[in-house]
């Protein structure tokens, strides 16, 4: 179990060392007024406590990603642990911290607004489309996956359509009502269920003796279908390592954060916590199932079936039910904020004030209508499109962070290096994938190099231009 315990230790160490370094590079201003006060509106800009913000941020970003992703990533073998640990510390947590803090410095702006400011006006429209596509896919996936888990949990005694309808209704309320009315009040209870369930699975591994079966680190590709690690692993495990969805969620909390000094704990720290959740589920899956059995179970009932089997096997009927409910909480608490973030992004884009309920419904209802249609698409196809849109958004968010630091003449490499890596993976994936251009993998690797080089060239050209123009990277607080 050296790999498992070592991975957990490195994640915790990363928060106190590299996380502190990233914070030092950004240089938070503890005295600066945050948007929660300067833009207070009682709906989206509402000051909330550090504890509540941290819990909401964790539940927002987690979704089924740190459970479903590691379950499917377990097919590759223990190399998945390596991506979870290194990805969380050096990419995912940096991504989350920078997007959250830069949003705080820019009146709670969402990623399309930040892209337009730092990467050029045209990129604002591209990122807006990317972000909305991602949020719609996330919202849809995070309706179908918790509904599927609940359907299995109650032995199909309630129709799946009824469960889906109930989740949609909750999402609508949490999308249009003030953030402190539903999300701020329910999330502490959701968080308790999540933590009890996840810790239960971790403890259950040791009580049952299955922890001894957790494989040690190996770079060997163990996928039963021999699917290549590069680039597929980085699109299988997203939440729990690096996820662009987080860039759409951090601005929600940037609008409720009381002080910049809370940023490292809220943004960097909660990504590390998500990495720990991912490690637990990846380890439990590898310890209990062999690759072929796992592949067959995923094909039979999506990863929802695996979640149920692992939980009941390790914790029994009652404990297993709590663990499954913890897994159900994750997608529900990401689906609701996915639609909320989509509403905010569209409102910012078309400059429609959100102080009145009618105006919030004006945007929200069409979003839900589209999502209802998307629920009819096969889960595996939805997940592939979600994964690509997710990592494409992550690349754009990292480039925004790198540009912010470049213009300020600080160490932009902390964002630049992971931005280059995931950009290359995004290009290779879409060139090779069945949902993309279906090119030969080796050819995709070659073309990907040139496309990534062109992206780097644009970054430096735009960066020099931004420095010459002395763009105002930090908006003055009102």
């Amino acid at each position: 179990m050296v790999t498992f315990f070592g991975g957990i230790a490195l994640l915790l160490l990363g928060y106190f060392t590299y996380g502190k370094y990233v914070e030092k590079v950004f240089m938070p201003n503890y005295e600066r007024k945050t948007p929660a006060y300067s833009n207070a509106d009682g709906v989206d800009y509402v000051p909330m406590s550090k504890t509540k913000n941290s819990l909401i941020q964790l539940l927002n970003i987690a979704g089924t990603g740190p459970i479903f992703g590691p379950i499917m990533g377990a097919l590759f073998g223990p190399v998945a642990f390596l991506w979870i640990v290194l990805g969380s510390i050096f990419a995912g947590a940096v991504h989350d911290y920078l997007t959250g803090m830069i949003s705080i410095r820019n009146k709670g702006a969402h990623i399309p607004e930040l892209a337009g400011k730092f990467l050029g006006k045209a990129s604002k429209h591209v990122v807006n489309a990317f972000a909305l596509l991602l949020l719609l896919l996330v919202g849809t996936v995070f309706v179908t996956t918790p509904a599927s888990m609940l359907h299995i949990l109650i032995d199909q005694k309630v129709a799946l359509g009824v469960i889906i309808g109930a989740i949609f209704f909750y999402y609508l309320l949490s999308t249009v009502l003030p953030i402190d009315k539903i999300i701020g009040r329910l999330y502490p209870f959701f968080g308790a269920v999540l933590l009890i369930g996840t810790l239960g699975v971790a403890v259950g591994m040791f009580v049952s003796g299955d922890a001894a079966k957790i494989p040690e680190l190996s770079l060997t590709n163990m996928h039963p279908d021999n699917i290549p690690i590069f680039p597929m692993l980085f699109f299988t495990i997203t939440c729990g390592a690096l996820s662009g969805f987080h860039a759409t969620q951090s601005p929600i909390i940037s609008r409720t954060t009381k002080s910049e000094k809370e940023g490292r704990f809220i943004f960097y720290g909660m990504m590390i916590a998500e990495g720990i959740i991912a490690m637990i589920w990846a380890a439990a899956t590898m310890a209990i199932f062999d690759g072929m059995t796992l592949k067959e179970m995923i094909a039979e009932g999506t990863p929802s079936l695996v979640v149920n089997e692992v939980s009941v096997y390790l914790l029994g009927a009652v404990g297993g039910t709590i663990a499954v409910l913890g897994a159900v909480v994750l997608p529900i608490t990401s689906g609701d904020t996915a639609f909320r973030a989509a509403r905010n992004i569209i409102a910012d884009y078309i400059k429609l004030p959100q102080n009145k309920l009618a105006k919030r419904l004006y945007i929200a209802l069409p979003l839900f209508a589209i999502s209802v249609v998307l629920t009819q698409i096969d889960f595996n196809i939805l997940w592939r499109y979600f994964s690509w849109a997710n990592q494409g958004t992550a690349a754009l968010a990292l480039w925004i962070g790198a540009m912010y630091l470049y213009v300020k003449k600080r160490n932009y490499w902390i964002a630049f290096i992971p931005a280059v890596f995931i950009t290359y993976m995004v290009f290779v994936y879409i060139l090779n994938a069945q949902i993309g251009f279906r090119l030969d993998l080796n050819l995709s690797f070659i073309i990907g190099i040139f496309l990534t080089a062109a992206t780097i060239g644009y970054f430096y050209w735009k960066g020099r231009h931004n420095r010459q123009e002395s763009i105002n990277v930090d908006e003055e607080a009102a």
Side-chain angles (χ1 to χ4, degrees):
M1 295 177 286
V2 173
T3 299
F4 177 71
F5 282 120
I8 299 294
L10 285 173
L11 285 167
L12 294 172
L13 185 63
Y15 171 75
F16 291 104
T17 56
Y18 196 66
K20 199 165 186 66
Y21 175 71
V22 170
E23 181 184 50
K24 183 179 178 181
V25 170
F26 184 83
M27 297 175 60
N29 181 353
Y30 295 174
E31 304 302 320
R32 194 175 194 273
K33 186 180 289 187
T34 62
Y37 296 104
S38 60
N39 294 71
D41 64 356
V43 178
D44 296 310
Y45 294 86
V46 180
M48 293 196 297
S49 70
K50 174 183 172 182
T51 301
K52 188 171 286 188
N53 278 328
S54 300
L55 187 56
I56 293 174
Q57 174 71 1
L58 175 61
L59 293 172
N60 282 358
I61 65 176
T64 45
I67 297 179
F68 279 28
I71 285 173
M72 293 189 287
L75 291 168
F76 291 93
V79 68
F81 291 137
L82 203 59
W83 170 231
I84 291 170
V85 174
L86 297 181
S88 293
I89 296 171
F90 297 106
V94 174
H95 167 283
D96 291 11
Y97 179 78
L98 290 178
T99 51
M101 296 302 290
I102 294 171
S103 177
I104 286 177
R105 290 284 179 89
N106 287 270
K107 299 181 179 179
H110 274 275
I111 187 172
E113 292 293 321
L114 296 176
K117 181 173 185 175
F118 293 104
L119 303 180
K121 291 182 179 179
S123 65
K124 175 181 177 179
H125 307 299
V126 173
V127 175
N128 196 67
F130 246 100
L132 287 176
L133 171 64
L134 173 60
L135 289 167
L136 269 173
L137 289 173
V138 167
T140 304
V141 168
F142 291 171
V143 168
T144 56
T145 53
S148 173
M149 284 188 281
L150 285 171
H151 196 230
I152 293 171
L153 183 65
I154 61 177
D155 199 25
Q156 303 181 4
K157 292 179 180 178
V158 177
L160 182 62
V162 174
I163 300 174
I164 288 175
I167 294 174
F168 264 127
F169 180 69
Y170 164 72
Y171 284 0
L172 178 62
L173 292 179
S174 59
T175 297
V176 300
L177 293 179
I179 192 167
D180 59 339
K181 300 304 181 187
I182 288 188
I183 291 176
R185 292 180 180 178
L186 292 181
Y187 272 37
F189 300 103
F190 287 159
V193 174
L194 165 65
L195 293 175
I196 292 171
T198 303
L199 290 175
V201 170
V203 172
M205 281 194 293
F206 292 93
V207 173
S208 67
D210 286 284
K213 303 175 187 175
I214 299 172
E216 299 300 347
L217 182 62
S218 168
L219 300 182
T220 304
N221 184 359
M222 299 181 182
H223 200 290
D225 293 331
N226 201 33
I227 292 176
I229 291 174
F230 292 89
M232 290 307 299
L233 177 61
F234 312 101
F235 292 83
T236 303
I237 302 176
T238 54
C239 297
L242 169 65
S243 170
F245 173 63
H246 299 188
T248 68
Q249 300 302 290
S250 293
I252 293 176
I253 301 304
S254 78
R255 299 180 178 195
T256 60
T257 302
K258 290 183 176 181
S259 170
E260 290 188 5
K261 69 181 178 182
E262 300 173 352
R264 179 164 68 98
F265 186 82
I266 294 173
F267 300 116
Y268 197 100
M270 293 307 102
M271 178 63 230
I272 295 297
E274 188 187 57
I276 293 173
I277 294 172
M279 284 289 291
I280 290 171
W281 278 97
T285 304
M286 289 184 212
I288 295 171
F289 303 108
D290 63 82
M292 189 57 67
T293 302
L294 179 60
K295 173 192 168 185
E296 291 171 356
M297 288 188 67
I298 292 173
E300 180 186 345
T302 78
S304 302
L305 184 58
V306 180
V307 170
N308 192 72
E309 289 290 327
V310 168
S311 301
V312 174
Y313 169 76
L314 292 177
L315 302 174
V318 176
T321 299
I322 295 174
V324 173
L325 287 175
V328 168
V329 159
L330 284 173
I332 287 178
T333 54
S334 290
D336 55 8
T337 51
F339 286 111
R340 190 178 188 91
R343 173 179 65 77
N344 285 335
I345 287 174
I346 294 173
D348 291 347
Y349 189 73
I350 64 177
K351 302 189 184 305
L352 181 68
Q354 295 292 279
N355 55 324
K356 294 183 179 180
L357 178 61
K359 292 182 178 179
R360 300 197 289 274
L361 287 170
Y362 178 76
I363 296 174
L365 291 177
L367 286 173
F368 281 96
I370 296 171
S371 184
V372 169
V373 174
L374 290 176
T375 58
Q376 306 307 307
I377 299 176
D378 178 68
F379 168 80
N380 290 317
I381 296 175
L382 270 179
W383 188 269
R384 292 189 197 108
Y385 278 106
F386 155 69
S387 296
W388 181 73
N390 193 32
Q391 298 307 69
T393 305
L396 289 164
L398 282 166
W399 284 118
I400 291 170
M403 184 65 75
Y404 177 92
L405 296 174
Y406 181 84
V407 173
K408 284 205 158 192
K409 299 183 179 179
R410 296 177 188 165
N411 181 13
Y412 65 94
W413 293 98
I414 61 173
F416 182 87
I417 292 174
V420 170
F421 173 76
I422 200 61
T423 297
Y424 180 52
M425 290 296 104
V426 166
F427 283 135
V428 172
Y429 178 86
I430 201 62
L431 289 168
N432 173 252
Q434 290 299 305
I435 64 169
F437 294 94
R438 304 184 182 185
L439 299 181
D440 174 75
L441 183 59
N442 290 328
L443 180 60
S444 299
F445 279 126
I446 294 170
I447 297 175
I449 291 173
F450 289 101
L451 293 174
T452 304
T455 304
I456 294 171
Y458 176 78
F459 171 83
Y460 281 113
W461 174 82
K462 183 62 179 175
R464 286 192 293 269
H465 177 76
N466 286 342
R467 280 183 176 179
Q468 291 170 359
E469 294 290 318
S470 299
I471 67 168
N472 183 24
V473 293
D474 296 325
E475 295 287 341
E476 289 298 322

